Amino acid sequence: MKKFKFSLDSVLSYKQQVLESLQGEHAVILAQVREQEEVLEAAWQAYRDCNEEYRQRKAEGISIMDAMFYQNGLRVLEGDIQRETDRLEELRKQEEAKRQEVVDAKIDTSSIEKLKEKKLELYNKEVAKSEEILIDEFVSSARARASIGA
């Protein structure tokens, strides 16, 4: 019997390449999300540090100019936090979209892989059946020869 050949091997190979590519892209976006989370946390830490310093200076007594300087600095830091938060949300949306692409590609690939497994199973059953027929024919012809020779 001829060797097993799956007609959709080239499609399966292509789908696997697409899946690997999407997984790589997803990993890159995940790294960007983690990095942006660190940037946002650093912005919050800068805000907390500045605010704490402002409170300490206020408790000790501070000039109006210095108080305005701290208030303006805190407003700038709040703007930074908002920008970094917006950037993080955008990256999370991109990550979610890419994750969905990976899931869809995985489903496509899995369905073709399952089809290949079923085809291989059918092929193996056919091979086993043809071998069984061949063995039966061999045994029958051996018995026939034995009965003729006896």
Side-chain angles (χ1 to χ4, degrees):
M1 191 161 208
K2 64 182 179 176
K3 185 178 175 185
F4 175 73
K5 172 115 173 73
F6 184 57
S7 60
L8 297 176
D9 264 338
S10 59
V11 174
L12 179 58
S13 176
Y14 171 75
K15 293 286 187 179
Q16 288 170 333
Q17 289 174 0
V18 168
L19 176 60
E20 289 170 7
S21 174
L22 288 172
Q23 287 172 331
E25 292 171 13
H26 183 245
V28 168
I29 293 174
L30 271 178
Q32 290 174 342
V33 167
R34 301 293 175 256
E35 184 178 320
Q36 186 61 29
E37 287 172 343
E38 291 173 10
V39 168
L40 180 58
E41 180 54 38
W44 272 109
Q45 189 59 48
Y47 179 84
R48 287 189 292 268
D49 292 346
C50 184
N51 196 27
E52 182 60 31
E53 185 178 329
Y54 176 48
R55 288 177 197 211
Q56 287 176 357
R57 296 277 314 270
K58 232 174 28 175
E60 296 167 357
I62 189 173
S63 71
I64 293 175
M65 285 295 285
D66 286 343
M68 289 177 60
F69 172 76
Y70 277 106
Q71 289 173 355
N72 286 338
L74 288 171
R75 276 191 224 109
V76 167
L77 291 172
E78 287 169 356
D80 289 347
I81 289 170
Q82 186 60 51
R83 273 190 305 284
E84 300 303 340
T85 301
D86 292 345
R87 174 79 175 126
L88 179 59
E89 288 306 312
E90 180 60 33
L91 285 170
R92 284 184 174 156
K93 287 178 186 175
Q94 289 176 12
E95 184 274 330
E96 176 63 27
K98 191 58 71 175
R99 187 183 64 76
Q100 188 58 48
E101 285 182 50
V102 169
V103 167
D104 293 343
K106 183 64 178 162
I107 289 170
D108 286 350
T109 304
S110 293
S111 63
I112 295 173
E113 286 172 344
K114 286 181 182 178
L115 179 61
K116 182 178 182 176
E117 289 171 9
K118 286 181 182 179
K119 295 282 188 182
L120 180 60
E121 187 178 318
L122 272 172
Y123 171 81
N124 287 335
K125 284 180 182 178
E126 287 177 17
V127 167
K129 190 174 184 179
S130 68
E131 286 176 353
E132 187 177 313
I133 290 170
L134 186 65
I135 290 171
D136 285 347
E137 288 175 3
F138 178 74
V139 168
S140 295
S141 68
R143 282 186 185 156
R145 276 185 268 157
S147 64
I148 292 174

